[in-house]
Amino acid sequence: MIGIRRMSLDLAEGIAVLHRTPSVLRALLGGLPDPWIRCDEGADTWSPFDVLGHLIDGEETDWMVRARLILDRGPDQPFAPFDRYRHLRENRDRTPGELLERFAELRAGNVAELEALELGPDQLRRTGTHPALGIVTLEQLLATWVVHDLGHLAQIARVMAKRYRDDVGPWAEYLPVLHR
Amino acid sequence: MIGIRRMSLDLAEGIAVLHRTPSVLRALLGGLPDPWIRCDEGADTWSPFDVLGHLIDGEETDWMVRARLILDRGPDQPFAPFDRYRHLRENRDRTPGELLERFAELRAGNVAELEALELGPDQLRRTGTHPALGIVTLEQLLATWVVHDLGHLAQIARVMAKRYRDDVGPWAEYLPVLHR
């Protein structure tokens, strides 16, 4: 299907993914033994727990905050820079279950707000100013939100897979996820 | 946590992942608009639909079939080669919902069978003969089963993410999943 360029983002299709992410993460991580939740790829890399915290930061400080800024202020007021390390400070004393619940609650509210906006093509073309990337559109922001979810889901799966890197023996060569 | 070598696989931890995969895939793909299920990364690459079919093939012809062969016959009887294209023939007329249900049913049966074996360290060290890789242990087979699930989950997320590759605009450089 790649190569067939759509005229513009089908917002309902994007929302279908955004809506599902909390239940995907709950199905994957809910009640899972802690070594899976806390494993990482080495120094200064993120565990599934850290990724959950980062996704919460996105809900609290990024996606809909920026969408509202585009709609209310346009490109004159640049977005606040996103703090990629906020979650490392905020979540020290939280449990994985608390993060899963918090993310689900925030995401449900943000998706409901997005749907209530009933955005049309004219609004999706509205622009804002990213502090590093410059002019971006609301459509690009919303597409990025979806891709960001899927990228971090892929990351969680990859980090977990590598926990068994030494256990698979000669099968390692058939498992590309271990070499990314 | 990587770098701390476990003495041997914690089977209950591995099973916790195997057990969850059907519900993860149902949460991610169940009822999702068809373009997400059918998108791929170009010619001769797999869509999420194809990956589901491949996972079903694993349940029907690979994992527990090979585990039983190791326990019953040892290394003298090599595994039958795994057919990576079987699903492309088998599933032409099936719906995504049918594949999700079929996978869940097969996986539940296989996990129940695995748990009923109550494998101990001696059995996990038993060997079989892979047609290409040579001597492998039951422990390596079971670790590979888990990594295989997680690798294909990462693949599904990546394939879906790339559907919006052209929609994210300048954010593409911040989204490594689009460049794998």
Side-chain angles (χ1 to χ4, degrees), chain A residues 11-64:
Chain A
L11 199 55
E13 282 182 10
I15 288 174
V17 174
L18 294 175
H19 172 74
R20 279 167 170 75
T21 304
S23 55
V24 174
L25 294 176
R26 204 184 276 130
L28 181 62
L29 301 175
L32 202 61
D34 213 47
W36 287 118
I37 310 282
R38 301 287 183 169
C39 63
D40 58 40
E41 294 171 292
D44 298 320
T45 66
W46 286 356
S47 66
F49 183 89
D50 296 329
V51 174
L52 280 178
H54 170 71
L55 290 169
I56 287 171
D57 286 351
E59 298 307 303
E60 290 184 328
T61 71
D62 189 330
W63 308 110
M64 284 307 293

Side-chain angles (χ1 to χ4, degrees), chain A residues 114-164:
Chain A
L114 176 59
E115 286 179 316
L117 289 173
E118 298 185 4
L119 298 172
D122 287 349
Q123 286 162 304
L124 289 172
R125 281 192 290 269
R126 301 271 288 273
T127 58
T129 300
H130 186 284
L133 299 172
I135 295 292
V136 292
T137 67
L138 180 55
E139 182 177 25
Q140 289 166 346
L141 175 74
L142 298 177
T144 300
W145 193 1
V146 174
V147 173
H148 184 267
D149 268 21
L150 294 167
H152 283 297
L153 175 59
Q155 177 186 16
I156 289 173
R158 182 188 75 230
V159 171
M160 290 174 63
K162 287 185 182 174
R163 192 163 169 252
Y164 278 1

Side-chain angles (χ1 to χ4, degrees), chain B residues 46 53-54 57-58 61-62 66 80-90:
Chain B
W46 286 356
H54 170 71
D57 286 353
T61 71
D62 189 329
R66 291 179 172 188
F82 181 75
D83 180 353
R84 295 183 67 251
Y85 304 101
R86 177 178 186 263
H87 63 99
L88 300 176
R89 301 185 303 271
E90 298 274 328

Side-chain angles (χ1 to χ4, degrees), chain B residues 71-145:
Chain B
L71 293 169
D72 296 344
R73 304 286 302 272
D76 295 339
Q77 169 79 40
F79 308 150
F82 181 75
D83 180 353
R84 295 183 67 251
Y85 304 101
R86 177 178 186 263
H87 63 99
L88 300 176
R89 301 185 303 271
E90 298 274 328
N91 299 325
R92 284 211 185 85
D93 301 322
R94 290 182 178 158
T95 66
E98 285 167 348
L99 297 194
L100 287 167
E101 287 317 302
R102 178 78 181 137
F103 175 60
E105 183 185 356
L106 290 164
R107 171 60 59 91
N110 281 329
V111 165
E113 187 185 345
L114 176 60
E115 287 179 318
L117 289 173
E118 297 186 8
L119 298 171
D122 287 350
Q123 287 162 304
L124 289 171
R125 279 192 290 270
R126 301 269 290 274
T127 57
T129 301
H130 186 283
L133 299 171
I135 295 292
V136 292
T137 67
L138 180 54
E139 182 176 26
Q140 289 167 346
L141 175 74
L142 298 176
T144 301
W145 192 1

Side-chain angles (χ1 to χ4, degrees), chain A residues 95-122:
Chain A
T95 66
E98 286 168 347
L99 296 193
L100 287 167
E101 287 317 301
R102 178 77 180 138
F103 175 60
E105 184 186 353
L106 291 164
R107 172 59 59 92
N110 281 330
V111 165
E113 186 185 345
L114 176 59
E115 286 179 316
L117 289 173
E118 298 185 4
L119 298 172
D122 287 349

